[in-house]
């Protein structure tokens, strides 16, 4: 079984924002996964950092999709 390298293309502590990015990547047919990491350096033990991961070969396309989304939201 071939194992592909996955890279983080977006991080947030807001699940709704992560879900939006994940949806945009799904719409662009980019396979992605969400990784959930506890932030150990914060005072709140429940704080988490969510990461959206994609295959290394999809990284450039994923950044284009995310950049377009972020620019669209910035202009609103």
């Amino acid at each position: 079984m071939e194992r592909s390298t996955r890279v983080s293309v977006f991080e947030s502590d807001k699940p709704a924002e992560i879900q939006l990015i994940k949806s945009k990547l799904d719409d662009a047919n980019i396979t992605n996964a969400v990784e959930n990491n506890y932030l150990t350096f914060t005072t709140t033990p429940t704080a988490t950092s969510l990461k959206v991961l994609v295959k290394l070969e999809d990284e450039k396309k994923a950044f284009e999709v995310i950049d377009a989304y972020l620019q669209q939201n910035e202009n609103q």
Side-chain angles (χ1 to χ4, degrees), residues 9 29-31 54-63:
V9 292
N29 293 318
I30 299 172
T31 303
V54 300
K55 291 180 186 172
L56 183 59
E57 57 266 24
D58 292 333
E59 181 182 28
K60 185 176 186 285
K61 187 177 174 187
F63 276 129

Side-chain angles (χ1 to χ4, degrees), residues 46-70:
T46 57
T48 57
S49 171
L50 300 166
K51 291 181 182 181
V52 179
L53 304 168
V54 300
K55 291 180 186 172
L56 183 59
E57 57 266 24
D58 292 333
E59 181 182 28
K60 185 176 186 285
K61 187 177 174 187
F63 276 129
E64 290 170 3
V65 169
I66 293 166
D67 285 345
Y69 162 76
L70 293 174

Side-chain angles (χ1 to χ4, degrees), residues 14-61:
K14 299 176 186 141
E17 192 172 38
I18 290 289
Q19 218 32 61
L20 256 168
I21 294 296
K22 186 170 175 19
S23 173
K24 296 282 183 194
L25 294 174
D26 287 341
D27 291 347
N29 293 318
I30 299 172
T31 303
N32 61 81
V34 175
E35 189 176 90
N36 188 351
N37 292 327
Y38 285 101
L39 298 177
T40 56
F41 55 85
T42 61
T43 55
T44 312
T46 57
T48 57
S49 171
L50 300 166
K51 291 181 182 181
V52 179
L53 304 168
V54 300
K55 291 180 186 172
L56 183 59
E57 57 266 24
D58 292 333
E59 181 182 28
K60 185 176 186 285
K61 187 177 174 187

